[in-house]
Amino acid sequence: KETAEAGFNVFSPRIGGENMERVRQMTRWCEQYGVFHVPWMRGTLVAPAGPEADGKRVLWRSGAEQPLWSVNSDEFWQWTTDMIVEYAQISAEMPHLIGVFLDYENYAGGIQDSWMLYGLMYDDIIMNKFAEDRGIELPELEPSARAPWLEEHGMHDAFSEFQINFWRERCRELREAVDRYNPKFQFFMYPSIGSLFMQQAAYLEWSTEAAPI
């Protein structure tokens, strides 16, 4: 009510977005006061310290690893898709929910190459997928040696293109899943400067004429 009276037309609460009943309640309040609802969602998922996440965590060019599921992992995409598709389902029933706000700022701690996510990753998942696609056998490489090895063998540009295309495919699948419920559902993203994932994948696949980013 205070937000609407202050002249704003969109409400995006920082907490509660993982609780779908709370999301529905917030949407009802937004409808009551004539504003739109955009649930806020952290764009990262914490990965456990155990072996189930080994080789699947964020791994930067420098070899620094952070305790987040890599953007190349099925775990990351399953979680992202489940949350956002449920928002889209709610938006089809309750039009005052118009999209999702995704925050990709990097608060994971530890050594990191960038405060924004995601750049090229060098985790086991994407390295193995690339090797299989190229029909090559990778040697045992320390994390910090992976990017230099790809460059020394003239494969880094191909690796970059392969990974970006992988992101685009996953982003496209999510957009298609959302569109089955609400083609007007919009993606809002932060921060926008310098994120390879946003610029080369998400912008291209999540923004449509009916639902621009």
Side-chain angles (χ1 to χ4, degrees), residues 98-99 175 179 182-186 208 210-212:
I98 60 171
R175 179 75 249 184
D179 285 351
N182 183 4
K184 294 183 179 181
F185 185 92
Q186 290 178 269
T208 67

Side-chain angles (χ1 to χ4, degrees), residues 126-137:
I126 200 65
M127 291 291 291
N128 291 334
K129 284 181 181 293
F130 177 69
E132 182 180 358
D133 182 73
R134 300 280 290 196
I136 60 173
E137 187 171 340

Side-chain angles (χ1 to χ4, degrees), residues 9-12 23 26-28 30-31 34-40 84 86-101 175 178-179 182-188 206 208 210-213:
N9 68 341
V10 175
F11 192 66
S12 185
V23 168
M26 193 65 62
T27 304
R28 286 192 288 268
C30 286
E31 181 179 11
V35 297
F36 296 106
H37 180 207
V38 177
W40 180 98
I84 294 176
E86 192 157 3
Y87 291 150
Q89 290 175 304
I90 295 172
S91 75
E93 306 164 15
M94 308 174 76
H96 276 257
L97 196 162
I98 60 171
V100 60
F101 184 98
R175 179 75 249 184
V178 164
D179 285 351
N182 183 4
K184 294 183 179 181
F185 185 92
Q186 290 178 269
F187 288 80
F188 301 76
W206 287 346
T208 67
I213 289 177

Side-chain angles (χ1 to χ4, degrees), residues 57-150:
R57 300 183 190 91
V58 162
L59 186 68
W60 294 100
R61 177 188 175 94
S62 65
E65 184 182 82
Q66 289 188 278
L68 300 171
W69 288 106
S70 168
V71 68
N72 299 311
S73 69
D74 289 341
E75 288 82 357
F76 170 86
W77 282 106
Q78 188 64 59
W79 167 77
T80 299
T81 299
D82 287 348
M83 288 279 287
I84 294 176
V85 169
E86 192 157 3
Y87 291 150
Q89 290 175 304
I90 295 172
S91 75
E93 306 164 15
M94 308 174 76
H96 276 257
L97 196 162
I98 60 171
V100 60
F101 184 98
L102 283 159
D103 187 340
Y104 289 106
E105 208 161 0
N106 188 350
Y107 291 110
I111 299 172
Q112 59 198 58
D113 288 5
S114 175
W115 61 275
M116 65 193 77
L117 294 160
Y118 293 91
L120 285 179
M121 295 285 115
Y122 297 85
D123 51 81
D124 291 356
I125 303 166
I126 200 65
M127 291 291 291
N128 291 334
K129 284 181 181 293
F130 177 69
E132 182 180 358
D133 182 73
R134 300 280 290 196
I136 60 173
E137 187 171 340
L138 293 172
E140 289 291 332
L141 295 166
E142 291 296 318
S144 61
R146 296 179 180 189
W149 186 89
L150 289 166

Side-chain angles (χ1 to χ4, degrees), residues 146-206:
R146 296 179 180 189
W149 186 89
L150 289 166
E151 288 170 342
E152 289 165 11
H153 290 80
M155 297 185 196
H156 197 271
D157 287 348
F159 172 76
S160 176
E161 182 180 2
F162 178 83
Q163 186 165 179
I164 290 168
N165 285 337
F166 174 78
W167 296 342
R168 288 193 62 176
E169 181 180 350
R170 301 307 295 262
C171 285
R172 186 161 53 249
E173 289 172 354
L174 176 53
R175 179 75 249 184
E176 290 169 355
V178 164
D179 285 351
R180 284 195 283 272
Y181 295 98
N182 183 4
K184 294 183 179 181
F185 185 92
Q186 290 178 269
F187 288 80
F188 301 76
M189 289 187 289
Y190 176 86
S192 60
I193 299 171
S195 167
L196 190 68
F197 170 73
M198 289 189 195
Q199 294 173 343
Q200 298 296 319
Y203 289 171
L204 302 177
E205 301 297 343
W206 287 346

